[in-house]
Amino acid sequence: MLVGCAEPAPLPRVVSFAELPGWADDRLTEALPAFRASCAVLAGLPPDRPMGGEGATARTAGDFLPACAAAQSLAADDAPAARRFFESRFTALAVGEDVLTGYYEPELRGSPTRTGPYQTPLYARPPELVEADLGQFAADLRGRRTAGVVRDGRLQPFHDRAAITAGALEGRGLELAWVDDPVDAFFLQIQGSGRIRMTDGSVLRLGYAAQNGLSYYAIGRALVENGTLTRETVSMQSIRAWLAAAPPAEATALMNRNPSYVFFRPLAELPPEAGPLGALGAPLTPGRSIAVDRTRTPLGTPVWVTGAARRLTVAQDTGGAIRGPARADLFTGWGEAAGAEAGGMRDRAALFLLLPN
C-alpha cells in the first residue's frame, strides 16, 4: 500500500527509450532532415551560445555538435541506424504533459501598393524598436525578452495593436505589402510567417522580424468568456468564422484585445518547396518541427511527442502563447489543408526531451 501511494518522481526525470510510448513505431528517419537543418545553424554559432532550457535541461550550441557530426553520415533510408543514433547520442527526459496545438504558413493575397481591396498593411520592423534580453539583468528573468522604444533615456512601451491599426505607423515607408483581409493579416501574425501571392503572380515570403513587446492575448478566450464559444468549440476556424460574420468595427475591437503586434521581413532566399524559418533560423519541416518555450527547452533539441500524434520532432521555433515545459505547437506545413489541420489541433500530449549526451 505504501508503494501504491508513493509520490511520482519529480520532473524532469530521465527515462529509458523503451518507456517512450510509441517510440518503436515511428519512422525516425523522417526527423533526420529537421535535425540536420538545426545542425547547420548550430554549427555557425559560438559553442558557448545558450540555446535555452534551465537547470538540467540547459544546453549550449556546442553541446549539440558531436551528435550533429554523427548525424551527417547516416543514410536517409537506414531506419535501424537512425534508431541507434538517437538512442546512443541522447538521453530522454520526461518533462510533463500539456496542450499540443498546431500552426502553419498561410497564403494571403497582396499588392505592393495600397489599392482597391488591398487596404491592410504588413509592416517591417520599425527602426526605433529596441529589444532587451531581461536575463542579462536578472537571473530569475533568464530567457525572457521584451521590446519597446527609448524615450528620455528610458525604455517605454511601444504602440499596441489598436494604435498601429489606427495608423500609428502610416506614412513611414514600412509597408512590405498590402493585403485584402484584416483577419488574414491578424492570423498571419499569430503564425509568424507566410506567403503573399501578389497581384503580378509573384510570391513574397515573409518571416518573423520582431514583436512590439506587449503580451499576447488569445482572443478566443474572450469569445468563451462571453458565451459565444465554448472550450470545446473554440478553434482557429470558429474564431475566424465569428470575425467574418461580425460587423467590421466589432471584429476590429476583438482583434485589438490582443495588444501584441508582429513585424515581418522578406525571405527572398527561401525556395517555394522549403518551409518558413523558425526562431532557430532553420527552415521548418511539416510534421517534424515544433515551437516550444525556449526558457524550458533548448532550441535544436529532438522532442518525442505523445498523444494523438506520436512522433519525433525537433524544437526549432517559439511562440507568444507557448509557455511551460510541456507546451508545444506542431508545424503542419503550408496551404489550406495544413491550415485546417493546425486549426483543429488541440490535444493533450506528453513531451520527452532528447538531450545530447
Side-chain angles (χ1 to χ4, degrees):
M1 290 180 65
L2 289 176
V3 173
C5 297
E7 290 288 332
L11 298 173
R13 69 173 183 273
V14 175
V15 297
S16 69
F17 283 90
E19 295 177 74
L20 304 185
W23 174 256
D25 301 322
D26 190 31
R27 296 185 179 90
L28 300 181
T29 53
E30 295 180 4
L32 279 175
F35 181 68
R36 286 175 173 144
S38 291
C39 288
V41 175
L42 294 168
L45 299 177
D48 60 351
R49 172 74 62 83
M51 299 311 301
E54 63 178 3
T57 66
R59 292 294 186 276
T60 64
D63 292 329
F64 290 90
L65 297 185
C68 285
Q72 299 310 311
S73 61
L74 292 174
D77 58 350
D78 192 339
R83 191 167 300 278
R84 289 193 299 270
F85 165 74
F86 285 110
E87 293 180 355
S88 64
R89 292 284 179 172
F90 298 88
T91 297
L93 268 72
V95 295
E97 182 178 309
D98 206 328
V99 175
L100 175 70
T101 49
Y103 71 115
Y104 75 113
E105 185 184 23
E107 182 173 297
L108 287 69
R109 297 173 296 273
S111 167
T113 59
R114 187 176 193 173
T115 181
Y118 304 102
Q119 295 293 317
T120 301
L122 302 176
Y123 286 117
R125 173 180 178 163
E128 72 275 17
L129 184 65
V130 175
E131 294 181 315
D133 182 350
L134 300 179
Q136 294 183 349
F137 301 91
D140 59 342
L141 295 176
R142 183 172 177 268
R144 299 294 181 186
R145 289 173 163 78
T146 191
V149 60
V150 177
R151 298 190 185 95
D152 299 323
R154 295 178 180 273
L155 185 64
Q156 303 289 331
F158 197 71
H159 302 298
D160 64 7
R161 175 178 298 278
I164 295 173
T165 300
L169 300 179
E170 280 186 5
R172 297 183 51 189
L174 297 172
E175 297 87 356
L176 295 170
W178 299 82
V179 297
D180 63 355
D181 189 333
V183 175
D184 284 349
F186 177 84
F187 279 97
L188 174 66
Q189 292 187 28
I190 293 176
Q191 304 305 321
S193 61
R195 303 175 185 224
I196 316 302
R197 188 163 295 280
M198 306 297 278
T199 50
D200 64 359
S202 64
V203 175
L204 172 65
R205 302 287 298 274
L206 294 180
Y208 176 94
Q211 187 256 2
N212 64 348
L214 301 178
S215 297
Y216 176 86
Y217 174 81
I219 63 172
R221 185 188 312 169
L223 295 177
V224 171
E225 290 173 351
N226 67 19
T228 301
L229 297 175
T230 67
R231 290 185 178 275
E232 292 72 31
T233 61
V234 66
S235 67
M236 182 177 69
Q237 287 90 339
S238 62
I239 296 170
R240 289 184 70 107
W242 187 93
L243 291 169
E250 292 184 23
T252 298
L254 179 62
M255 291 186 287
N256 284 346
R257 292 281 299 272
N258 175 21
S260 174
Y261 197 94
V262 169
F263 304 102
F264 297 99
R265 62 188 179 95
L267 300 175
E269 71 278 10
L270 280 181
E273 68 275 10
L277 297 182
L280 179 61
L284 303 180
T285 301
R288 295 292 176 172
S289 297
I290 59 171
V292 296
D293 181 347
R294 70 178 299 168
T295 68
R296 305 299 190 91
T297 301
L299 292 181
T301 301
V303 180
W304 180 252
V305 177
T306 71
R310 294 181 174 184
R311 68 185 70 180
L312 184 61
T313 64
V314 183
Q316 296 177 307
D317 207 0
T318 58
I322 310 303
R323 295 287 182 266
R327 180 73 171 90
D329 211 11
L330 178 68
F331 177 68
T332 60
W334 47 89
E336 291 185 8
E341 181 182 1
M345 188 178 298
R346 189 172 182 83
D347 307 314
R348 297 295 298 182
L351 263 57
F352 300 83
L353 308 188
L354 272 58
L355 294 173
N357 298 331

